[in-house]
Amino acid sequence: TAPELIRNFSIIAHIDHGKSTLADRMLQLTGVVDQRQMRAQYLDRMDIERERGITIKSQAVRMPWEEEGVTYALNMIDTPGHVDFTYEVSRSLAACEGAVLLVDAAQGIEAQTLANLYLAMENELTIIPVLNKIDLPAAQPEKYAEELAKLIGCEPEDCLKVSGKTGMGVDALLAQIVKQVPAPVGDPNAPARAMIFDSVYDTYRGVVTYVRVIDGMLHPRERITLMSTKTQHELLEIGVSSPEPVPTKGLGVGEVGYLITGVKDVRQSKVGDTVTNYAKPATEALEGYREPLPMVFSGLYPIDGSDYGPLREALDKLKLSDAALVYEPESSVALGFGFRCGFLGLLHLEIVRERLEREFNLDLISTAPNVVYEVTMDDNTQITVTNPSEFPGGKINEVREPIVKATMLAPAEFIGAIMELCQERRGSLRGMDYLSEDRVEMRYTLPLAEIVFDFFDQLKSRTRGYASLDYDPDGDQVANLVKVDILLQGEPVDAFSTIVHADKAYSYGVMMTGKLRKLIPRQQFEVPIQAAIGARIIARENISAIRKDVLAKCYGGDISRKRKLLERQKEGKKRMKMVGRVEVPQEAFIAALSSD
Ligand code: GDP
Ligand code: MG
């Protein structure tokens, strides 16, 4: 297709504002998915996406659309809305010239509306403002058209009004996409340069690489070079998703499509890399993307120790399609052998864990999540801590923790509640703006560790669900952080070590020792449970001794009953972990780690 007839666009919005539903209507209206095949959120293909009703992976689809007798090729890229997956959004946007900015007409602008708009502006995209869900009785399209117009600097009349549910206004939107989004520009005669914006592992087809061609042309059967690694591959298949894969004879300037090269691992076909011809290579690679950095770490352990091998295999497989997941083996006194894994955020952690349990049939326990700390010792050595139990003792000069710039949007009546919450979480206010008379945008700097845990739930409950949140990494800061260890009879239990702000150390110690006292059965001797910072004990509980004589319960001489009891006791022992002299059932560790 000639570049003049191509339009590449993304749909961006706050979560639940209706991107996937609008995409469905476009698929139907352009005829690429017929009535019979249609199902809601068609492009959300993973089971977990469908069940949770959220989009995790971006999707690119090519759709034909006729305007005044001319047939255009529209490439639509549906993106996830959750903050953990912002890196997916920014990748998709770099492959487009335009963005449909969708706003729920019953909700108005939310935190991720802004975040995504700013990303689109950074990529210099043409923005088409659209109010969605106008079929809802609670919709206030006029009010929010004004908010939206003020935000992007257009007239309220320029905001289109659609319903992704009923399809109202969707054809007019497609017409505006053709009219307003610029056609891609590139040099068709230059050596090929195509940007990899996604790479997925498909059980049947292997690694499928999604590209947007900037210059030149790619053909099936030719050899290509991946510019960052200088590796060569043969293009076994090249095509477009419509939305099923359709092989083509080539991809030219401005086109979006997929490549299959026989590469085995998505890491070899790296997102952000440039594909060029082997015979006539480009000299300069395209500007790549920021690599996604893991923000949150947690230990993943199989509940049944013999599942360690299968867990490793499952992680290897998952990594094929999730380049943002990192992991390395670790072991724990309490939990045995497992892996320390890095995630983009808590939702990413939850999704990975759920996929491991579901798709690979594993029972897992995850340790309390933590962020990454940079510790500088007095002798200037630097230590990066991803596991709290590895936090150094000895002379520490300073500890740095990651911070984020957070943006919260809410009705003005909740300003006080939000300030209070941010105060409790060591936040500092950076600024505040009124978007309209009754809606404010509040900007805070907050430690990542304070925001990743239950911050969002707290924000929602303190604002009756009205506030929305978005955040971006913003470097790090020095903080007064300490490691709290939990000791059983003087022995530290690694899985319970945590790094907290000095002000919160005491309450963590009291909470954890209290929890363990209830969970650990009495032993033949007294067992002290202590919380300590270094050598200083900050909390203590005691489990008093008992004489555990099971046979004493059996009156008379019922031998078989005695044997059964002894056997049951032996069974129980197998799942016991020894911490020093103390026997602890693994269930106690698991219960103590699960948040309640
Ligand atoms: P996404 O998170 O932006 O992809 O949003 P979805 O497309 O998954 O939609 C979120 C929810 O809003 C779903 O329950 C949809 O059925 C609903 N929804 C989406 N568009 C409309 C619309 O135009 N009208 C109404 N009434 N509901 C809609
Ligand atoms: Mg969606």
Side-chain angles (χ1 to χ4, degrees), residues 239-250:
V240 297
S241 309
S242 201
E244 303 313 321
V246 182
T248 60
K249 296 215 169 61

Side-chain angles (χ1 to χ4, degrees), residues 36-334:
R36 200 166 34 83
Q37 301 164 306
M38 197 64 211
R39 49 175 194 183
Q41 282 96 23
Y42 189 87
L43 297 175
D44 290 346
R45 299 190 161 199
M46 282 195 271
D47 285 346
I48 190 161
E49 291 185 307
R50 304 197 61 79
E51 274 166 33
R52 291 180 174 229
I54 56 170
T55 309
I56 298 168
K57 292 297 290 182
S58 298
Q59 292 280 350
V61 188
R62 180 179 167 122
M63 308 177 290
W65 184 248
E66 201 181 298
E67 214 44 66
E68 291 164 0
V70 182
T71 304
Y72 293 85
L74 306 183
N75 290 309
M76 168 179 67
I77 298 173
D78 184 28
T79 59
H82 190 277
V83 50
D84 277 14
F85 302 109
T86 301
Y87 82 106
E88 291 263 341
V89 181
S90 58
R91 276 151 44 176
S92 317
L93 293 185
C96 299
E97 280 78 31
V100 170
L101 179 65
L102 205 60
V103 172
D104 184 328
Q107 304 279 331
I109 294 165
E110 299 284 6
Q112 273 132 51
T113 316
L114 293 182
N116 288 325
L117 170 65
Y118 298 149
L119 280 177
M121 284 167 37
E122 275 170 33
N123 284 283
E124 294 172 15
L125 304 191
T126 297
I127 289 150
I128 302 181
V130 178
L131 290 160
N132 189 29
K133 307 199 189 181
I134 53 166
D135 61 291
L136 286 175
Q140 296 177 277
E142 305 312 325
K143 175 179 172 191
Y144 293 125
E146 224 153 275
E147 236 183 63
L148 191 52
K150 193 172 136 200
L151 177 70
I152 63 176
C154 64
E155 296 303 317
E157 304 76 68
D158 297 336
C159 299
L160 300 181
K161 299 183 179 72
V162 308
S163 164
K165 187 172 176 187
T166 67
M168 198 193 316
V170 179
D171 47 357
L173 170 57
L174 290 170
Q176 285 304 313
I177 290 170
V178 168
K179 200 168 144 203
Q180 292 184 34
V181 175
V185 228
D187 181 351
N189 302 313
R193 292 199 299 173
M195 165 72 83
I196 301 181
F197 67 89
D198 202 6
S199 231
V200 301
Y201 182 79
D202 181 302
T203 330
Y204 303 105
R205 300 190 292 163
V207 172
V208 183
T209 302
Y210 290 90
V211 296
R212 146 83 199 252
V213 179
I214 306 291
D215 295 320
M217 182 108 192
L218 293 171
H219 298 95
R221 295 278 139 209
E222 81 178 323
R223 290 191 78 75
I224 53 152
T225 303
L226 295 174
M227 290 186 77
S228 75
T229 54
K230 307 258 185 316
T231 51
Q232 298 158 34
H233 304 277
E234 188 186 345
L235 281 183
L236 303 176
E237 186 182 320
I238 180 166
V240 297
S241 309
S242 201
E244 303 313 321
V246 182
T248 60
K249 296 215 169 61
L251 286 177
V253 169
E255 290 195 284
V256 174
Y258 68 86
L259 314 175
I260 294 176
T261 58
V263 165
K264 289 282 180 302
D265 180 338
V266 288
R267 278 169 290 185
Q268 288 170 270
S269 176
K270 229 172 68 191
V271 167
D273 202 353
T274 304
V275 179
T276 191
N277 315 108
Y278 172 66
K280 195 175 104 180
T283 47
E284 244 179 89
L286 299 161
E287 199 183 322
Y289 307 98
R290 210 165 28 136
E291 294 243 358
L293 270 186
M295 308 279 278
V296 175
F297 286 78
S298 166
L300 281 184
Y301 290 85
I303 288 185
D304 178 349
S306 65
D307 275 344
Y308 176 75
L311 174 58
R312 173 196 293 280
E313 278 164 36
L315 283 166
D316 287 345
K317 281 224 180 85
L318 218 53
K319 174 81 189 175
L320 294 177
S321 56
D322 186 350
L325 171 67
V326 299
Y327 53 92
E328 58 181 43
E330 73 171 4
S331 65
S332 147
V333 176

Side-chain angles (χ1 to χ4, degrees), residues 329-479:
E330 73 171 4
S331 65
S332 147
V333 176
L335 302 170
F337 290 98
F339 294 89
R340 175 108 321 225
C341 306
F343 306 94
L344 298 166
L346 280 197
L347 179 65
H348 188 211
L349 187 167
E350 249 179 68
I351 283 168
V352 167
R353 183 175 162 184
E354 197 174 320
R355 290 185 67 186
L356 286 169
E357 295 199 312
R358 236 208 306 208
E359 296 170 25
F360 300 93
N361 220 350
L362 296 163
D363 283 322
L364 302 174
I365 171 83
S366 47
T367 62
N370 60 271
V371 301
V372 187
Y373 299 96
E374 293 295 339
V375 181
T376 311
M377 307 301 287
D378 270 353
D379 64 2
N380 265 331
T381 45
Q382 289 269 357
I383 301 169
T384 302
V385 177
T386 57
N387 180 342
S389 71
E390 288 163 5
F391 196 81
K395 294 247 180 292
I396 289 173
N397 181 5
E398 66 173 27
V399 184
R400 303 189 75 85
E401 64 172 346
I403 52 173
V404 298
K405 275 184 182 167
T407 304
M408 283 152 279
L409 261 66
E413 65 189 280
F414 297 113
I415 291 176
I418 293 176
M419 284 186 153
E420 197 177 283
L421 173 63
C422 291
Q423 205 84 51
E424 286 168 23
R425 302 301 179 100
R426 301 190 280 131
S428 60
L429 183 64
R430 290 180 20 251
M432 192 163 106
D433 281 309
Y434 279 81
L435 292 175
S436 59
E437 250 169 48
D438 55 351
R439 279 176 78 74
V440 291
E441 173 189 346
M442 300 170 74
R443 295 181 299 276
Y444 268 89
T445 297
L446 283 151
L448 177 65
E450 298 284 347
I451 219 171
V452 285
F453 305 122
D454 63 339
F455 186 89
F456 188 58
D457 293 338
Q458 282 292 326
L459 181 69
K460 282 279 175 196
S461 77
R462 295 187 196 194
T463 59
R464 296 207 308 275
Y466 280 110
S468 59
L469 164 74
D470 189 75
Y471 59 85
D472 249 336
D474 191 34
D476 58 10
Q477 69 180 14
V478 175

